[in-house]
Amino acid sequence: MYLVKSPLFYRWLFGNKLIWRIPVTEKTLFLTFDDGPVPETTPGIISILARYGIKATFFCVGENVKKHPSEFECLLSAGHAVGCHTFNHLKGWNYSTTDYVENVKKCSQYFQTSLFRPPYGRIKSSQIEALRQEYNIIMWSVLTGDFDRNTTPEQCLQNSIRYTKAGSIVVFHDNIKAENNLQFALPRFIEHFLAQGYCFETLNEKLFT
């Protein structure tokens, strides 16, 4: 069970401790991709983004970076931003704060970033407090549902477009489970918003400039 649009209650509950959208005055969107890099899907995503001249932010699983360094280097070479998605794709609710933070920081052995997104969006308040001094904790405005095999590619696209507006942080997934929906929805999503005069930026560009 998941919500395509991030709930207002959670935004209110955690205040500015978590980043759900980026305040903008222009028509700017922020594409993000979770779970990679993997050889089955990362090159294809890079290719789609390159076709439209778009940069995005990839929240990488440390173990995947270790296993697939060439795909990771391709992300960097293409000018995309990267964030941490824990080393082993951990659901924070199932782990002590000490173990969870240790797993997050293990990623620093393979890449440096000040961006972090908790897998599944599941993170304890104590984990937030432990991490927020070193990381911008990035959630999302729109969860496309590309990973859901009960969602058709057309539904994935329609849901994504419906809830996206200026400043939205949009989540797609860089994994095999999402590939079918992603390959259909991503280029059409991009084309829809480019036609409306939107631009796409990395989170680094907006948070640190």
Side-chain angles (χ1 to χ4, degrees):
M1 177 66 183
Y2 61 93
L3 298 173
V4 174
K5 182 180 179 181
S6 61
L8 289 175
F9 172 74
Y10 286 112
R11 299 190 198 187
W12 170 82
L13 181 65
F14 292 106
N16 62 2
K17 295 179 181 180
L18 305 177
I19 298 171
W20 297 88
R21 66 180 300 274
I22 304 296
V24 294
T25 55
E26 63 279 1
K27 297 170 79 170
T28 306
L29 300 174
F30 303 88
L31 278 176
T32 65
F33 297 88
D34 288 1
D35 299 351
V38 291
E40 293 85 356
T41 55
T42 304
I45 295 172
I46 293 174
S47 178
I48 291 172
L49 296 175
R51 188 190 315 164
Y52 299 100
I54 287 173
K55 306 302 182 190
T57 304
F58 286 74
F59 286 90
C60 298
V61 174
E63 186 175 28
N64 285 340
V65 174
K66 180 181 178 181
K67 289 179 179 177
H68 309 297
S70 61
E71 282 74 21
F72 183 71
E73 287 302 320
C74 285
L75 288 176
L76 300 180
S77 297
H80 300 296
V82 296
C84 173
H85 203 44
T86 74
F87 195 83
N88 298 107
H89 203 262
L90 301 186
K91 186 180 292 186
W93 291 358
N94 295 343
Y95 292 86
S96 71
T97 295
T98 299
D99 288 345
Y100 189 75
V101 170
E102 182 179 305
N103 195 266
V104 171
K105 292 187 176 182
K106 187 176 179 181
C107 289
S108 65
Q109 297 175 25
Y110 299 92
F111 63 98
Q112 300 298 316
T113 181
S114 61
L115 303 177
F116 171 70
R117 173 176 285 158
Y120 313 100
R122 304 294 192 242
I123 186 169
K124 299 176 183 177
S125 295
S126 58
Q127 293 163 350
I128 292 172
E129 292 303 324
L131 290 168
R132 64 190 294 258
Q133 303 306 316
E134 297 182 43
Y135 297 91
N136 291 288
I137 304 177
I138 311 296
M139 302 301 276
W140 56 81
S141 315
V142 179
L143 184 63
T144 64
D146 55 348
F147 56 85
D148 183 357
R149 289 176 174 165
N150 293 318
T151 296
T152 68
E154 291 81 7
Q155 288 171 330
C156 177
L157 175 62
Q158 290 168 8
N159 288 339
S160 304
I161 289 174
R162 177 182 178 186
Y163 293 108
T164 297
K165 59 184 179 180
S168 289
I169 301 171
V170 182
V171 181
F172 284 93
H173 287 80
D174 183 7
N175 63 35
I176 297 171
K177 185 165 60 172
E179 184 176 17
N180 188 47
N181 284 341
L182 174 76
Q183 290 293 325
F184 178 89
L186 179 59
R188 291 167 176 81
F189 177 90
I190 291 170
E191 289 171 2
H192 174 86
F193 284 102
L194 286 178
Q196 294 191 23
Y198 281 81
C199 64
F200 294 82
E201 294 185 6
T202 70
L203 290 169
N204 277 350
E205 289 175 295
K206 189 54 64 177
L207 288 171
F208 304 121
T209 58

